[in-house]
Amino acid sequence: MKILALTCLLPFVTLFHSSAQGQVPVLRSGGQNILAKPSNASTRSSTSKHSGSSTTYATPPFGSSQTSTDGLFREGTTVVNLGLGLGMGYGSHFRSVDATPAMSISAERGVLEGIGPGVIGLGGLIGYKGYRYDYPGSEYNASWRNIVVLIRGTYHYDLLQVPNLDTYVGASIGARFEHYKDTYLETVPASEYDPGLGTKFETGVFLGGRYYLTNRIGAFAELGYDMSYFKLGLTGRF
């Protein structure tokens, strides 16, 4: 009887001893327990590597949820936009004219973080918009060429919490250079026609967003009073 009791207690003594040694019992068919050591991956704590006093963080993969401080627009980031705009009738004195879209190239760079939850950017815009009017029944025409040069400041903040979308507001200040030419008034004696270059002071405010299709290339849209009421185009991040 003593031998039978010891035989029945032996599996439980073995199980208790293995648990104390950090082993996990695995139940097999036939009532036999095979002891296995736990996986290192389940017990190993995460570690970070330091080099001196600096810490290296992994860059979040593209497509993950990112905010303005996660890498879409940060201090040192440079972004270039190529856009076409609608609205804002510069310098046209006739109702029926042929007009080009407002073509623009703009660039900005992240210059300051830590002012609230967002990032401040600073850059500029150069744009062109032209008009042409053909006098009915004649070969005469009038044309206006407008070149806009603006300094722009932006504040980037992840307003909508959409992955890969960089949202921002901004303000601009600068000048518009207008050249006017009228081939009909050139032929009119004693006319008050004064061709040449006129300089206008310009300001603007705008709200924009950039959606990145890859890590560097995307599309942008801006709405407001800045060169044109609405701009749409391509954007690149460097």
Side-chain angles (χ1 to χ4, degrees), residues 5 11 24 33 60 88 100 107 112 126-127 132 137 147 158 190 213 224 226 234:
V24 179
N33 293 328
M88 192 124 358
T100 66
L112 187 60
I126 298 177
R132 178 186 173 92
I147 297 176
D158 189 10
L213 304 174
D226 174 74
L234 298 176

Side-chain angles (χ1 to χ4, degrees), residues 80-104:
V80 177
N81 292 335
L82 293 175
L84 296 177
L86 301 175
M88 192 124 358
Y90 289 136
S92 173
H93 307 302
F94 298 93
R95 291 184 178 179
S96 178
V97 295
D98 296 324
T100 66
M103 298 173 284
S104 65

Side-chain angles (χ1 to χ4, degrees), residues 126-147:
I126 298 177
Y128 172 84
K129 187 171 180 64
Y131 298 89
R132 178 186 173 92
Y133 173 77
D134 294 317
Y135 286 96
S138 72
E139 60 182 8
Y140 299 115
N141 62 73
S143 61
W144 296 260
R145 295 194 299 272
N146 295 272
I147 297 176

Side-chain angles (χ1 to χ4, degrees), residues 73-79 107-112 120-123 238:
F73 190 84
R74 303 192 64 176
E75 183 176 342
T77 300
T78 300
V79 179
E108 65 172 311
R109 185 173 178 85
V111 295
L112 187 60
I120 293 178
L122 184 63
F238 305 93

